[in-house]
Amino acid sequence: MPELPEVETIRRGLLKCIRGLKISEVKVFCGKSFPGPVETILGATVKDLRRFGKALVIDLNNEVSLICHLRMTGQMIYRGMKDFAGGHPSESFVEKLPNKQTRVEIEFEDGSKLFFNDQRKFGFMKPVPTEEVSKDKFIASLAPEPWQMTGQEFYERLQRHKGAPIKAVILDQKVICGLGNIYADEALFFAKIHPERKAGTISKKEAELLLEGAREVMERSIESGGSTMATYVKADGTRGDYLELFAKVFRREGKECERCGAEIVKIRVAGRGTHICPGCQSWDFLSERKSQRKKPSKVSKSRTCRDFETENI
């Protein structure tokens, strides 16, 4: 799934191509990918493109909007005076369209076309009344983005998930919107927080620093056009350069930490590959477990207190 910076670069590129264009024809090759009547957008002109987290919203001048989500393998490909390609890279960027992966084809009055391709059919373009965009189930469930909340609000949101690893919590789009695996690792490194620490152990000061890190790493990625992950490219079809220029830990296992010189390692947290610096993000998990463990009300006479403590470390 694309992360927020990748979707933002796609939004900016697509906006330059289709704003002001009038829709003359819509072909739907997969009903699941366009759950709604095509008549609602025929004859309408593209007014603006917005982004809510990782979702794009194409606003039309007839008070109808298209909520678009690329999911895992979605693509937005524009063919006109200036070609555009954004999303999961494949031969679709350069081959004749529509092809077998094309789910929706939108033709504009000037003859240019926008293709929505999606190999795995998880993505969608859904027409809804513009006034109801914010009420859409997916969009309404999203938390504020890093730029839209204060350190205090972020800290309070973390405290609602005290027993969960901090990385798992910040990946939850209902806690903070837009952070994916790459930027979660980078933000945690920025704040010197180990990803396996329980969210309840994060102090208010650490929460503020983590939020600052999330903002910084994502702003840098947006400026560079996103990451160079094999699955996403910039709006003009070229790859972003965030990982080469700015990433400090993600996909740098085996290399020296630029901050302390320790070797970057890769572990698994919450089922996700996770990159950390053991030097900068040290964590005494035994002390944390001891401080959080509840003392038993009764201990069997056949087992000593020492046995009980050893067993539960």
Side-chain angles (χ1 to χ4, degrees), residues 17-18 21 77-85 106 108 110-115:
C17 295
I18 68 173
L21 297 185
I77 305 172
Y78 174 79
R79 296 283 172 82
M81 293 294 292
K82 181 180 180 180
D83 289 348
F84 160 97
I106 297 176
F108 299 102
D110 67 351
S112 62
K113 296 180 179 182
L114 176 64
F115 299 90

Side-chain angles (χ1 to χ4, degrees), residues 31-65:
K32 178 182 177 182
S33 301
F34 195 96
V38 298
E39 292 77 17
T40 58
I41 67 172
L42 285 175
T45 298
V46 177
K47 186 169 64 174
D48 198 9
L49 267 80
R50 294 180 286 164
R51 180 187 52 74
F52 291 83
K54 302 175 184 179
L56 287 172
V57 175
I58 303 176
D59 291 321
L60 306 175
N61 68 345
N62 64 346
E63 303 306 318
V64 173
S65 297

Side-chain angles (χ1 to χ4, degrees), residues 9-229:
T9 54
I10 291 172
R11 184 196 70 81
R12 294 180 183 184
L14 188 59
L15 182 62
K16 295 177 182 177
C17 295
I18 68 173
R19 181 159 57 182
L21 297 185
K22 185 177 181 179
I23 298 172
S24 59
E25 186 176 1
V26 180
K27 296 179 182 179
V28 178
F29 303 101
C30 175
K32 178 182 177 182
S33 301
F34 195 96
V38 298
E39 292 77 17
T40 58
I41 67 172
L42 285 175
T45 298
V46 177
K47 186 169 64 174
D48 198 9
L49 267 80
R50 294 180 286 164
R51 180 187 52 74
F52 291 83
K54 302 175 184 179
L56 287 172
V57 175
I58 303 176
D59 291 321
L60 306 175
N61 68 345
N62 64 346
E63 303 306 318
V64 173
S65 297
L66 281 174
I67 298 177
C68 312
H69 206 307
L70 300 181
R71 297 294 188 189
M72 298 294 293
T73 58
Q75 301 172 320
M76 290 287 196
I77 305 172
Y78 174 79
R79 296 283 172 82
M81 293 294 292
K82 181 180 180 180
D83 289 348
F84 160 97
H88 182 79
S90 71
E91 294 303 316
S92 294
F93 285 158
V94 295
E95 68 183 18
K96 184 178 180 180
L97 294 172
N99 62 20
K100 63 181 180 180
Q101 294 181 13
T102 302
R103 309 306 172 197
V104 182
E105 176 186 326
I106 297 176
E107 184 172 352
F108 299 102
E109 201 170 51
D110 67 351
S112 62
K113 296 180 179 182
L114 176 64
F115 299 90
F116 177 64
N117 282 21
D118 187 14
Q119 181 180 0
R120 300 181 68 178
K121 301 182 182 180
F122 291 157
F124 58 82
M125 301 180 78
K126 180 170 66 174
V128 300
T130 300
E131 63 180 9
E132 295 182 12
V133 167
S134 61
K135 301 175 185 177
D136 178 78
K137 184 178 180 181
F138 173 79
I139 291 178
S141 68
L142 297 176
E145 295 181 3
W147 304 276
Q148 299 170 330
M149 70 171 78
T150 64
Q152 177 64 33
E153 181 183 357
F154 183 49
Y155 173 72
E156 291 173 357
R157 285 175 174 271
L158 297 184
Q159 296 310 299
R160 299 171 194 168
H161 307 271
K162 292 184 177 182
I166 183 61
K167 178 171 180 179
V169 174
I170 64 175
L171 285 175
D172 186 343
Q173 301 301 295
K174 295 180 181 180
V175 175
I176 183 169
C177 180
L179 277 178
N181 203 41
I182 298 174
Y183 305 106
D185 283 3
E186 293 295 313
L188 288 165
F189 171 79
F190 179 96
K192 298 183 179 181
I193 296 174
H194 194 286
E196 289 184 300
R197 278 183 57 186
K198 297 293 186 289
T201 70
I202 304 300
S203 68
K204 181 181 177 182
K205 184 176 181 180
E206 287 178 314
E208 292 173 344
L209 193 58
L210 181 55
L211 185 61
E212 180 186 345
R215 292 170 180 160
E216 179 167 316
V217 299
M218 294 174 77
E219 285 170 356
R220 284 193 172 192
S221 186
I222 290 171
E223 291 171 1
S224 71
S227 73
T228 54
M229 292 290 286

